[in-house]
């Protein structure tokens, strides 16, 4: 810091003219008071300073995080039952490249956070369909006898049809050179502001950019969720290999097939079979392979997915869910019957049991048909 002369004033240069500085009769200089400008400006400066000081003290508690858009909800991936992922895959199976299961899930997240309740009577269910929109896109996709936007499966499939339709339209326009840009971005923009607005702009219009960015920000988490939950099939019964029972006693408490979920109340495909087993019982690999995933998931709790390689030219996988503890890690090689974890009740579960699945080329099959002696 620079030294300030004592007395608070600036140092004065020595006078170049000789004067009688000691003359007692020299008239004293009059002190000038504050000018009118200072009297007007100073109170405002003091006020602003007080405001900034107050904000610096309390503003940190209410500031919007810098990595999120103001008003944007956090990703609701934890609200998604993993068994809905096969429906997300089915809903986008016939879509153009731009619409994926993860993108559809992120779209639903942006609309509702995967929460079906809404304060608006005109926007219903997790996909926030209007009555007119539901009349056009809605169907009874899960076969429970009712077509409703409040049914999550029906809503997933309906929004998938709508997004796929928009994607096909954007694809045709992009092929013709009418619009340019990423196909997923164009599709989301067409949903947000209408296909005509996108066509008019020739790209994602500025009015849709915030919506598109909010959906895309959620995409990585849903891509990970989809990877952990392979595609639903139609219950293929191929028995190309005999698997070893994953638990000592194969007492089935809930078989493979359509059922009403005991916790969510939703009727949908039960993608595996539930075996009754006590807490902490040993769970073993049904066949040798490589651990594709071992970790915590929202719906299945602690879960292990094993890739067993090809069987008759098709990829075979088994899964072990609701475990209380993991005994393997991702990438680890396993032999037939090797320990993978302990029975538990983590995730969406009503009590200790093993949820066991068998997938062939990504399609869920009845595990009992694969087990030695038919289970």
């Amino acid at each position: 810091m620079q030294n300030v002369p004592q007395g608070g004033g600036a140092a004065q240069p020595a006078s170049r003219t000789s004067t009688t500085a000691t003359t007692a009769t020299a008239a004293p200089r009059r002190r000038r008071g504050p000018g009118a400008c200072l009297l007007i400006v100073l109170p405002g400066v003091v006020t602003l300073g007080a405001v900034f000081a107050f904000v610096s003290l309390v503003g940190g508690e209410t500031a919007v995080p810098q990595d999120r858009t103001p008003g944007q909800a956090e990703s609701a991936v934890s609200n998604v039952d993993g068994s809905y992922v096969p429906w997300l895959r089915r809903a986008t199976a016939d879509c153009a490249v731009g619409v994926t299961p993860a993108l559809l899930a992120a779209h639903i997240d942006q609309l509702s956070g995967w929460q079906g309740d809404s304060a608006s009577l005109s926007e219903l269910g997790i996909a926030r369909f209007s009555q007119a929109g539901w009349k056009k896109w809605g169907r009874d996709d899960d076969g429970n006898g009712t077509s409703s936007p409040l049914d999550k499966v029906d809503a997933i499939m309906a929004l998938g049809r709508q997004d796929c339709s928009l994607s096909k339209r954007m694809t045709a326009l992009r092929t013709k050179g009418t619009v340019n840009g990423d196909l997923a971005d164009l599709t989301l923009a067409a949903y947000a502001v209408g296909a005509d607005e996108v066509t008019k702009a020739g790209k994602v219009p500025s009015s849709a950019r915030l919506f598109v960015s909010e959906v895309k920000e959620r995409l990585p988490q849903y891509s990970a969720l989809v990877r952990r939950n392979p595609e639903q099939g139609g219950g293929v019964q191929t028995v190309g290999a005999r698997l070893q029972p994953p638990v000592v006693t194969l007492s089935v408490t809930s078989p493979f097939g359509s059922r009403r979920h005991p916790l969510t109340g939703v009727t949908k495909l039960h993608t595996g079979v539930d075996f009754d087993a006590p807490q902490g019982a040993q769970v073993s690999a049904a066949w040798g392979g490589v651990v594709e995933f071992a970790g915590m998931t929202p719906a299945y709790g602690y879960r292990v997915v094993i890739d067993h390689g090809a069987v008759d030219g098709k990829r075979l996988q088994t899964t072990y869910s609701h475990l209380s503890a993991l005994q393997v890690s991702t990438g680890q090689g396993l032999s037939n019957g090797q320990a993978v974890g302990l029975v538990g009740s983590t995730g969406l579960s009503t009590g200790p049991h093993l949820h066991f699945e068998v997938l062939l080329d990504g399609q869920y099959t009845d595990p009992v048909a694969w087990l030695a002696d038919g289970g």
Side-chain angles (χ1 to χ4, degrees):
M1 296 178 60
Q2 295 181 342
N3 293 327
V4 179
Q6 294 183 0
Q12 300 295 324
S15 174
R16 295 183 179 180
T17 306
S18 176
T19 61
T20 55
T22 58
T23 303
T25 59
R29 299 177 64 183
R30 297 182 59 185
R31 297 178 61 88
R32 298 178 63 185
C37 180
L38 182 61
L39 290 175
I40 295 174
V41 174
L42 182 60
V45 173
V46 173
T47 302
L48 286 175
V51 171
F52 284 124
F54 177 77
V55 171
S56 67
L57 290 174
V58 303
E61 298 180 1
T62 57
V64 177
Q66 295 302 308
D67 58 347
R68 288 173 51 199
T69 303
Q72 175 186 333
E74 294 183 3
S75 177
V77 67
S78 60
N79 295 332
V80 185
D81 184 340
S83 61
Y84 287 119
V85 173
W87 291 103
L88 291 165
R89 289 185 177 273
R90 179 181 292 185
T92 58
D94 297 327
C95 279
V97 178
V99 180
T100 65
L103 187 74
L104 180 58
H107 187 179
I108 293 174
D109 187 344
Q110 194 279 341
L111 293 175
S112 67
W114 282 86
Q115 297 296 325
D117 53 341
S118 171
S120 173
L121 297 178
S122 61
E123 297 180 342
L124 304 175
I126 59 172
R128 298 296 190 254
F129 270 103
S130 65
Q131 293 291 349
W134 187 255
K135 185 176 180 179
K136 181 176 182 179
W137 301 109
R139 299 176 190 170
D140 177 18
D141 287 287
D142 57 9
N144 65 358
T146 303
S147 170
S148 171
L150 301 179
D151 185 317
K152 286 189 176 181
V153 170
D154 289 352
I156 289 169
M157 295 297 291
L159 186 61
R161 276 189 289 272
Q162 183 175 359
D163 282 355
C164 288
S165 176
L166 291 170
S167 179
K168 291 176 181 177
R169 183 171 178 181
M170 292 298 106
T171 299
L173 291 172
R174 195 173 66 166
T175 301
K176 296 177 181 178
T178 306
V179 298
N180 293 293
D182 178 80
L183 185 56
D185 293 354
L186 293 169
T187 300
L188 292 170
Y191 175 92
V193 300
D196 292 341
E197 287 297 313
V198 177
T199 303
K200 181 180 178 181
K203 58 182 180 180
V204 174
S206 58
S207 56
R209 288 173 188 166
L210 177 59
F211 178 86
V212 172
S213 66
E214 287 178 342
V215 175
K216 298 297 280 290
E217 285 172 4
R218 293 162 163 81
L219 193 55
Q221 296 182 70
Y222 286 101
S223 295
L225 178 67
V226 169
R227 286 195 299 269
R228 293 196 300 267
N229 296 271
E231 183 178 3
Q232 173 184 319
V236 180
Q237 297 294 317
T238 302
V239 185
R242 296 291 182 179
L243 302 178
Q244 176 175 307
V247 289
V248 175
T249 303
L250 298 181
S251 175
V252 177
T253 57
S254 184
F256 175 87
S258 181
R259 72 163 187 178
R260 186 175 185 272
H261 195 283
L263 292 177
T264 65
V266 176
T267 299
K268 60 181 182 296
L269 175 68
H270 185 220
T271 54
V273 61
D274 290 345
F275 292 125
D276 184 29
Q279 180 81 13
Q282 185 64 60
V283 177
S284 305
W287 206 20
V290 177
V291 178
E292 184 177 346
F293 174 80
M296 173 62 75
T297 68
Y300 293 111
Y302 283 114
R303 175 176 172 89
V304 173
V305 180
I306 302 176
D307 184 356
H308 303 289
V311 175
D312 294 335
K314 297 182 179 180
R315 184 186 184 193
L316 180 67
Q317 298 167 289
T318 55
T319 76
Y320 313 75
S321 299
H322 305 302
L323 304 176
S324 61
L326 299 173
Q327 296 174 319
V328 295
S329 57
T330 301
Q332 179 179 343
L334 301 176
S335 58
N336 188 15
Q338 186 171 338
V340 299
L342 303 177
V343 170
S345 186
T346 55
L348 291 178
S349 171
T350 58
H353 72 284
L354 173 66
H355 177 77
F356 178 67
E357 299 170 339
V358 177
L359 300 97
L360 192 66
D361 268 357
Q363 298 185 6
Y364 290 104
T365 69
D366 189 346
V368 171
W370 286 85
L371 294 170
D373 300 323

